[in-house]
Amino acid sequence: MKQFLFLCGLAFLVTSCATKKDIIYFQDAESLNSVKNEQIFEPLIEVNDILHISVSSMNEEVVIPFKRNTASEGMVNNANPGLQGYLVSSDGNIRFPVLGEVQVAGKIRSQVVKELKDQLLEFIKDVVVDVRIMNFKITVIGEVNNPGVYAINDERVTLPQAIGLAGDLTADGKRDAILIIRETDGNQNVQRIDLNSTDFYNTPFYFLKQNDVVYVEPSLRGVRKSGFIPDVPALLSLFTVVLTSVILITR
């Protein structure tokens, strides 16, 4: 009986305890010392993005024709006070006042700024142009403390930052298989990331793109809690109690 109880207790400890290797992030963090991240991240503008474009000058009167807000120019209000957005059409264009159709999809913001400025210099000598992606957002779901959709104002967010926005992983989150779902040119791409290691720091998935989905799977313990598979420690405990009771009663 003592041997049986000892084996049950040992099985309980083995099946219920997570190891340090399973929990700690970035276990090889020292390898990043003095390592330069080679990625220069600036998001590409995509179809269905909404752009906020501001045009200014010392003489505000000359920029009035370029600030018209009519539905015929493809303007969209995203409910942010004072901000109006240009919707990128399915052919990758926006309709800009006076200039007409302007190709923007597949370009970074600085390219669009330069192209618009070059065209506007014909009308405004001291023109200043600014372009922002208004609908840059990511979705973090699964075993995190605060799942949801997060708007990113500066258009730059890393995977660790996204997890921080979502309140970190729960104790039941699987840290070695974080799933990132990304749409590129209409195709869905999927990548799994191991947060226990820093190997992903120089991959295209360190920086997240607009509309990326981050999914944290439950660990085996989390799956057990959901009731999809039997909870082995609980079953062992119940079996031990029942067996002990039977032995005491029949002695």
Side-chain angles (χ1 to χ4, degrees), residues 3-59:
Q3 290 178 341
F4 173 77
L5 291 176
F6 173 76
L7 291 174
C8 286
L10 183 62
F12 175 84
L13 290 174
V14 170
T15 56
S16 63
C17 295
T19 66
K20 179 179 178 181
K21 186 177 180 182
D22 296 326
I23 297 298
I24 296 179
Y25 300 152
F26 319 133
Q27 295 171 29
D28 56 348
E30 289 76 11
S31 65
L32 291 177
N33 286 331
S34 302
V35 174
K36 182 178 180 181
N37 193 315
E38 299 296 333
Q39 298 185 79
I40 301 175
F41 180 78
E42 190 171 355
L44 292 176
I45 296 170
E46 301 176 351
V47 169
N48 292 326
D49 276 347
I50 301 174
L51 305 182
H52 170 58
I53 302 175
S54 65
V55 179
S56 58
S57 167
M58 292 292 291
N59 182 0

Side-chain angles (χ1 to χ4, degrees), residues 6 17 35 38 50-52 59 67-68 76 88 101 110 120 145 147 164-165 173 181 194 207-208 227:
F6 173 76
C17 295
V35 174
E38 299 296 333
I50 301 174
L51 305 182
H52 170 58
N59 182 0
K67 291 186 174 182
R68 288 178 296 180
V76 195
V88 181
E101 297 285 330
S110 56
L120 290 170
N145 288 299
L165 287 173
I181 304 172
D194 182 1
F207 288 104
L208 298 181

